[in-house]
């Protein structure tokens, strides 16, 4: 190993350690930043309406595909069974999980009372 490669190795190591310092400084700033006050109610209502509409479209689309695949004997064999299982999983996500997620996001901004934060950061400055 010659001196030039050793110098390059040390220089790259110093560059990496300075990047770690920058990342830790950025994390420290984000941990101590003030929490956003929330989005405007009209924007959130529009987002919620679009979100629920997309969920309903997904439910209808998955039900349609389930009826098409289950009515054809040729599609009920082989990979058709795997596709049916995937459609059932997507149907459950669109019918149950996504609407609950939308309600929780909307409710977190306007319905539920957020407690004061009790966890403090122990990152040294």
């Amino acid at each position: 190993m010659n001196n030039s490669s050793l110098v390059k190795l040390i220089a790259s190591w110093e560059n990496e350690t300075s990047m770690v310092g920058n990342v830790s400084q950025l994390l420290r700033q984000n941990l101590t930043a003030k929490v956003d006050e929330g989005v405007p109610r009209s924007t959130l209502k529009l987002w919620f309406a679009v979100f629920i509409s997309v969920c309903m479209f997904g439910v209808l689309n998955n039900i349609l595909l389930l009826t098409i695949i289950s009515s054809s004997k040729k599609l009920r064999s082989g990979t058709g069974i795997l596709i049916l299982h995937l459609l059932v999983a997507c149907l459950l996500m669109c019918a149950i999980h996504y609407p609950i997620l939308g309600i929780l996001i909307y409710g977190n901004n306007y319905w539920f009372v957020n407690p004061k934060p009790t966890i403090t950061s122990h990152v040294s400055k």
Side-chain angles (χ1 to χ4, degrees):
M1 184 176 247
N2 58 17
N3 279 341
S4 64
S5 63
L6 186 59
V7 169
K8 287 180 184 177
L9 181 65
I10 292 172
S12 68
W13 180 77
E14 287 175 349
N15 187 23
E16 287 178 14
T17 56
S18 69
M19 287 173 41
V20 169
N22 291 341
V23 169
S24 65
Q25 182 181 9
L26 182 64
L27 285 173
R28 189 178 313 120
Q29 288 172 352
N30 285 342
L31 288 174
T32 59
K34 290 184 179 178
V35 178
D36 187 60
E37 293 297 324
V39 293
R41 187 179 284 258
S42 60
T43 305
L44 195 59
K45 281 183 179 180
L46 177 66
W47 172 84
F48 186 71
V50 170
F51 191 75
I52 295 298
S53 300
V54 169
C55 288
M56 295 305 242
F57 177 75
V59 167
L60 294 175
N61 187 26
N62 285 324
I63 289 173
L64 176 68
L65 288 172
L66 277 171
T67 56
I68 289 171
I69 290 176
S70 62
S71 66
S72 171
K73 186 172 183 173
K74 184 179 178 184
L75 294 176
R76 279 185 287 174
S77 63
T79 57
I81 299 296
L82 297 174
I83 294 172
L84 279 172
H85 286 139
L86 183 63
L87 285 172
V88 168
C90 288
L91 178 66
L92 291 174
M93 289 294 286
C94 287
I96 298 170
H97 176 71
Y98 293 143
I100 291 174
L101 178 69
I103 289 168
L104 288 176
I105 290 174
Y106 185 82
N108 191 30
N109 283 296
Y110 292 107
W111 293 334
F112 310 133
V113 176
N114 292 329
K116 292 181 180 179
T118 57
I119 299 174
T120 58
S121 172
H122 296 289
V123 178
S124 62
K125 291 186 178 181

